[in-house]
Amino acid sequence: MTDTKPVLLVTGGGRGIGASVCRLAAADGWSVAVNYATNAKAASDVVDGIRAAGGSAVAVAGDVGSEAGVASIFAAVDAAFGRLDGLVNNAGIVGPPQRVDEMTGERLERMFAVNVLGSIRCAQQAVRRMSARHGGQGGAIVNVSSIAATLGAAGQYVDYAASKGAIETFTLGLAREVAADGIRVNAVRPGVIDTDIHASGGLPDRARDLAPQIPMQRPGTAVEVAQSILFLLSNAASYITGAVLSVSGGR
Ligand code: NAP
């Protein structure tokens, strides 16, 4: 089946920033593939909400941290929509606060498998479908970095910060590589955003606790990041590629 609306895949679209991207994108006229890793209920709630509002969405299971997971995500998108016009590489993980000399190899491998290889593998698959070089219609990719890439996250999660640094370099290089193929590649760099990710790293109050250190004196919301991602996906950003937009309240 082919779909006449542009199709957007959002990795980690069931919760947090990704869920807000899915909802805003659907309201903007995209058909949305809502990827999730383990929380099927959260993804199906996002899909149900989009459909109830008259939009088009499907939930797509798959772990971006494995090559097989990425292949199955894209196979499901192909089967559901038969086209792809946008990708938001949003899925990401942190770990509990640790010094680098305490981190296990397993932690490091998973951090880079999900945050870095996951984003690169999804971008590969997206470029194969969107690039004019491969007969595609062009498109846009937005990668989700973190302000941690510029701060280093010492004593908390330097591995996470380094993974986001890799995403920023990947954004720059891929943007230049596929610019003539009709694909724009940009990134957002969120600051402290009020989502579940802090609890998943063992610091449930992190967003509130850090508020006094943020120039705007408050954490951001998932919707505020999503609005920037939607801008970078849209034609309003038609001459922007290789950019990294901080969405961090001045942090
Ligand atoms: P979140 O609320 O913890 O949500 C993470 C999402 O990613 C969930 O939907 C989760 O799926 C999905 N996910 C995790 N591992 C995955 C995997 N291996 N394969 C597929 N999906 C996976 O996180 P968030 O705060 O919205 O973060 C989204 C992005 O923003 C991340 O890249 C994060 O690094 C970045 N970011 C966040 C902040 C912040 O302060 N919140 C700041 C800077 C950057 P399930 O629902 O199935 O678990």
Side-chain angles (χ1 to χ4, degrees):
M1 188 184 88
T2 56
D3 197 281
T4 49
K5 292 182 181 182
V7 173
L8 177 68
L9 168 62
V10 182
T11 66
R15 295 187 292 120
I17 293 167
S20 290
V21 172
C22 291
R23 293 189 194 101
L24 290 185
D28 256 14
W30 295 83
S31 289
V32 186
V34 182
N35 162 249
Y36 65 95
T38 55
N39 195 332
K41 168 81 168 69
S44 87
D45 286 350
V46 171
V47 168
D48 290 348
I50 288 172
R51 290 182 181 165
S56 155
V58 295
V60 173
D63 172 9
V64 302
S66 85
E67 191 161 19
V70 171
S72 84
I73 292 166
F74 280 81
V77 173
D78 291 343
F81 297 116
R83 61 182 282 180
L84 186 69
D85 304 274
L87 165 68
V88 180
N89 270 320
N90 165 77
I93 55 170
V94 295
Q98 283 180 332
R99 290 170 49 95
V100 170
D101 50 356
E102 296 167 345
M103 292 174 185
T104 64
E106 192 183 357
R107 169 182 170 140
L108 296 178
E109 282 176 17
R110 186 66 184 157
M111 186 71 68
F112 277 74
V114 174
N115 291 6
V116 182
L117 292 181
S119 296
I120 294 176
R121 285 191 175 121
C122 287
Q124 279 185 315
Q125 295 283 347
V127 168
R128 287 174 190 153
R129 286 161 178 76
M130 300 190 307
S131 168
R133 185 181 290 260
H134 297 293
Q137 304 291 314
I141 297 173
V142 179
N143 297 320
V144 180
S145 177
S146 168
I147 205 74
T150 68
L151 300 173
Q156 287 211 325
Y157 27 67
V158 171
D159 54 343
Y160 170 81
S163 76
K164 296 300 189 178
I167 285 304
E168 294 196 8
T169 305
F170 177 64
T171 300
L172 179 65
L174 184 66
R176 291 175 175 172
E177 193 167 289
V178 300
D181 303 356
I183 302 174
R184 295 182 301 101
V185 185
N186 293 291
V188 293
R189 186 191 282 144
V192 181
I193 310 301
D194 194 5
T195 70
D196 296 344
I197 202 168
H198 310 293
S200 74
L203 298 171
D205 298 325
R206 183 169 182 270
R208 200 182 48 216
D209 291 349
L210 285 178
Q213 297 176 34
I214 300 166
M216 287 179 71
Q217 301 286 299
R218 65 169 179 87
T221 66
V223 168
E224 288 175 307
V225 180
Q227 284 167 332
S228 297
I229 292 172
L230 263 292
F231 163 67
L232 290 170
L233 287 171
S234 76
N235 276 337
S238 57
Y239 199 54
I240 302 178
T241 198
V244 181
L245 178 59
S246 290
V247 187
S248 61
R251 184 166 153 89

